[in-house]
Amino acid sequence: MYKKPCLFFLTLLLISVVATSQVRVVTELSNGWKFKKGQNNQAYQTEFNDKSWESVSVPHDWAIYGPFDKEIDKQMVAIVQNGEEVPTEKTGRTGSLPYIGEGWYRNQFTLPDYTPGQKVLIVFEGAMSEPRVYINGKKVGEWNFGYNYFYFDITRHIKAGKKNLLAVQLSNKGLSSRWYPGAGLYRKVQIIVKHEESIDQWGTYVTTPFISAELAKVNIKTKVSGQNARLVTSIIDANGDTVATDNSNTPYGKEFDQNIAVKNPRLWSPETPYLYKAVTKLYVGNDLKDETTTRFGIREISYTAAKGFSLNGEVRKFKGVCLHHDLGPLGAAINIAALRRQLRILKDMGCDAIRSSHNMPSIEQLDLCDEMGFMFLAESFDEWAKPKVKNGYNRFFHTDAEKDIVNLVHATRNHPSIVMWSSGNEVPDQHGAEGVKRAKWLQEIFHREDPTRPVTVGMDQVKATMASGFGALLDVPGLNYRTHLYEDAFKSFPQGFILGSETASTVSSRGVYKFPVVKGVEKTYDDHQSSSYDLEYCSWSNLPEDDFILEDDKPWVIGQFVWTGFDYLGEPTPYDNFWPSRSSYFGINDLAGLPKDRFYLYRSKWNKKDETLHILPHWNWEGREGQTTPVFVYTSYDSAELFINGKSMGVQKKNDSTPQSRYRLMWMDVKYEPGTVKVVAYDKEGKPAAEKSVVTAGKPTKLVLEADRTELDADGRDIAFVTVSVVDEHGNPCSTANDQLTFHVTGNGTYRAACNGDATSLEQFHLPAMKLFNGKLVVLVQSGNKAGPIRLSVKGNKLKTAELVLRSK
């Protein structure tokens, strides 16, 4: 029986990446798909004619192409977790995109290396939603949870040397989500062919039960199929050198248990994300039957009342953000380039942790977090047995929760980035004895499948969980907001620490500023935008400073996960009943991935390596001459002096007089006059250390294009994100420009999408035209399958056309 220890030691993990070799062939089914939305009773049949269907590649999200429609999934509901008691009409809650309905995918594939007697698996890493899978006209299985990974053994349905038909039926119901869920085969689909004697799917489990400077004990448990087998595992370092090998002839039942010593181990952390590989070979006699390669990292985690959270023996606090699974203009369809760009932006901000909200993460996201150095809180469910929405996960909880958790853990437990599991988010089951039992049951499943990591729940009903014992039984008590209850929760719960599992929910629109500059709760405006002075929040949430103070002043607060790192489709609070708002305002970065002012507030606090000096607002306020227009500065320095057209507005120094003045420099009485705003930051000795200026721009004259990368892989998937800005004749940014632009791509690539970050825009992402939003937007250019130049041209009325050349290789 599992006994919960007071101290959790988490060791290594891996990215289970299966290698292609002569004994195991992994085929990703990315091309050759036919798709049709709508009901069809014959589409699973082999003789069905799908020639008129759309040709698509997978990953694919059928709904992201729109159009946006107010009537899609319009909900009359009271959002209980937001404190609402009276139902009101909600539009845009799920993004106003056409995800509801049935869709069919068909793919004809051959297995040239397949011979009778081999085993064939089909693996799905996510399918939205309720997939029913058919091979050659026969149903081979089904799954319910659209965010889960699953696989089926299809050996007996495969035809050797002939074309095989895969058909997948998906069905998305209305009232099934609280945000945009996407639709379709939005994650990878693979066919695995291997010998009958083989390593089981997700059958490898790596931990490091002992770590010192001189030695790490790497434990590898490997489940296999077949008799009289032996296992040879080699550990390879990042330079490609073999550092240890173990040969085992003794399985325990169907599982090998190997302990391998690695001398002078390099430890994984966000600062040094060092990865090893374990190459595992399965033999029967002298015949090699299977081979897999697993990346992993060696690291140790602990959670204690005395120290809080420690990584590799060093106490630290999570500087984390929550992320929904959509990728803005790409929708839910997974794309590695888009994920990597997100993480680069977050890394520059000083972020070191991600919470998947409120769903199971993609394998690609975990791979990148392992490589780039992000700790990860992997979440499972947004609902248990009690519903938040009529057709949500509550329909499947009693029958599916255990197998969904098992698949989550088995598919991802070897990633060094994952340092914690979450079994739920703001579940209505927090109230009462039944909820306590469910929390205990789910936590014990996680412990059984992975004893090395703790489990949390994002709790918003904190008083209820203090009274019932719900919060006391969790390994890590997670509080969603409720900053005023942190002290009470700390005294009530026995763990000795509190995690800010979801924090802030400050709202803002990039480049939008409202006057007068005051704190605002549930503040709304006629233009359906929120002020980027970063002083507006929801009735149930708070400003960033409230969480900063708890982190800085309370050693028992082990960090936070801010809601959210990027805007996402759906949940347009505080405009969820104001059409045409259709995406969130919570993001530190907007839906296009462009930083809002708040990005620099967090950067000034979290990024200890780089200087931060940022001025807001812009300085184009025709008609506000002589009116009070406060200037804020977000900076890593403690003090700075502000100048308006060369005249000093005085020196401001961070102080404890208010929560805001502790982390921001604010000149509240500045009167607007066109010209130059300059700030000079001072170091601890009072000497000028950095300066920055913002000027009043003239008329928009030309466009400027800046790509996040200029070289792409010629794989038909890679994407460059090109930021388009408009400037005046002197090169000054025109921060209020909203011109209509058009885009044209030629050469060895294609136009993929555009996004301007405006939560009220109804322009479709995939069409090659969009308006600037406050002087900026982002164009996505996708590589082709051939190497060569790619040319992007951007045009606007009365603006000088801009061109940019990228290269695929």
Side-chain angles (χ1 to χ4, degrees), residues 303-602:
Y303 297 77
T304 67
K307 295 182 179 179
F309 170 68
S310 298
L311 176 67
N312 299 329
E314 295 185 7
V315 176
R316 62 188 296 159
K317 299 195 177 191
F318 294 106
K319 298 182 291 187
V321 300
C322 302
L323 292 180
H324 264 309
H325 74 303
D326 79 69
L327 294 170
L330 297 175
I334 285 299
N335 180 273
I336 292 175
L339 288 166
R340 184 181 285 112
R341 173 178 178 252
Q342 281 193 340
L343 295 177
R344 283 174 176 157
I345 292 168
L346 294 174
K347 181 69 78 169
D348 178 56
M349 189 175 71
C351 173
D352 66 7
I354 308 294
R355 174 190 179 215
S356 63
S357 314
H358 305 289
N359 48 265
M360 300 175 180
S362 70
I363 301 300
E364 290 87 347
Q365 186 180 43
L366 293 173
D367 286 348
L368 288 171
C369 286
D370 291 340
E371 295 171 15
M372 298 175 68
F374 287 88
M375 297 177 288
F376 207 94
L377 196 171
E379 197 151 80
S380 50
F381 308 124
D382 188 51
E383 283 185 0
W384 292 351
K386 292 185 178 181
K388 294 181 184 178
V389 289
K390 178 181 177 182
N391 293 317
Y393 189 75
N394 64 88
R395 295 177 294 146
F396 312 120
F397 178 78
H398 290 298
T399 56
D400 290 12
E402 181 170 5
K403 69 177 185 178
D404 283 335
I405 289 175
V406 168
N407 278 17
L408 165 65
V409 175
H410 287 193
T412 68
R413 61 188 172 185
N414 294 313
H415 288 268
S417 53
I418 298 179
V419 296
M420 197 187 315
W421 305 111
S422 170
S423 62
N425 169 71
E426 296 183 0
V427 293
D429 316 63
Q430 290 168 84
H431 297 272
E434 282 300 315
V436 176
K437 292 177 182 177
R438 288 172 189 145
K440 185 174 185 293
W441 175 63
L442 293 171
Q443 184 165 273
E444 288 177 347
I445 297 171
F446 277 108
H447 288 167
R448 182 191 72 205
E449 301 302 323
D450 175 26
T452 70
R453 294 182 182 87
V455 181
T456 190
V457 171
M459 299 181 292
D460 63 331
Q461 303 300 311
V462 179
K463 290 183 178 179
T465 62
M466 287 192 289
S468 67
F470 184 110
L473 71 86
L474 298 175
D475 300 328
V476 177
L479 267 61
N480 285 12
Y481 316 104
R482 313 302 189 262
T483 54
H484 63 288
L485 294 176
Y486 268 52
E487 289 277 4
D488 291 342
F490 174 64
K491 293 175 183 177
S492 175
F493 297 150
Q495 295 89 340
F497 52 83
I498 298 290
L499 170 69
S501 46
E502 188 171 315
T503 64
S505 275
T506 304
V507 293
S508 62
S509 303
R510 178 182 54 77
V512 174
Y513 305 92
K514 302 295 185 179
F515 305 96
V517 178
V518 294
K519 286 186 183 180
V521 182
E522 298 287 336
K523 184 70 175 174
T524 57
Y525 304 91
D526 291 342
D527 62 358
H528 297 183
Q529 305 292 350
S530 295
S531 179
S532 200
Y533 275 106
D534 301 323
L535 290 172
E536 296 178 1
Y537 55 102
C538 305
S539 61
W540 36 268
S541 65
N542 53 271
L543 297 179
E545 288 83 1
D546 299 326
D547 299 299
F548 289 159
I549 289 170
L550 284 166
E551 284 182 324
D552 289 347
D553 295 355
K554 307 297 182 183
W556 42 267
V557 174
I558 64 173
Q560 64 167 311
F561 290 86
V562 182
W563 192 264
T564 51
F566 293 81
D567 279 336
Y568 55 93
L569 292 161
E571 287 194 319
T573 309
Y575 296 103
D576 47 13
N577 56 352
F578 292 82
W579 183 254
S581 296
R582 47 71 176 152
S583 63
S584 78
Y585 298 78
F586 298 119
I588 295 171
N589 301 276
D590 71 15
L591 197 70
L594 295 172
K596 302 179 186 179
D597 292 292
R598 197 160 9 113
F599 172 92
Y600 299 97
L601 179 60
Y602 282 98

Side-chain angles (χ1 to χ4, degrees), residues 4 27 56 89 115 146 150 155 187 237 408 411 443 456 510 514 569 588 616 672 734 763 777 780:
K4 187 172 76 174
T27 303
V56 301
E89 180 181 279
T115 57
F150 61 96
T155 306
R187 292 181 182 169
D237 67 13
L408 165 65
Q443 184 165 273
T456 190
R510 178 182 54 77
K514 302 295 185 179
L569 292 161
I588 295 171
L616 64 137
Y672 174 67
C734 298
E763 295 174 284
L777 57 74
L780 284 65

Side-chain angles (χ1 to χ4, degrees), residues 709-720 746-750 781-791 805-809:
R709 292 179 302 133
T710 57
E711 288 191 347
L712 305 180
D713 292 331
D715 58 5
R717 298 183 181 185
D718 205 2
I719 293 177
T746 57
N748 297 291
T750 57
V781 178
Q782 186 163 306
S783 67
N785 291 305
K786 294 181 179 179
I790 308 169
R791 187 179 300 273
V805 177
L806 309 170
R807 182 166 294 278
S808 62
K809 61 177 184 177

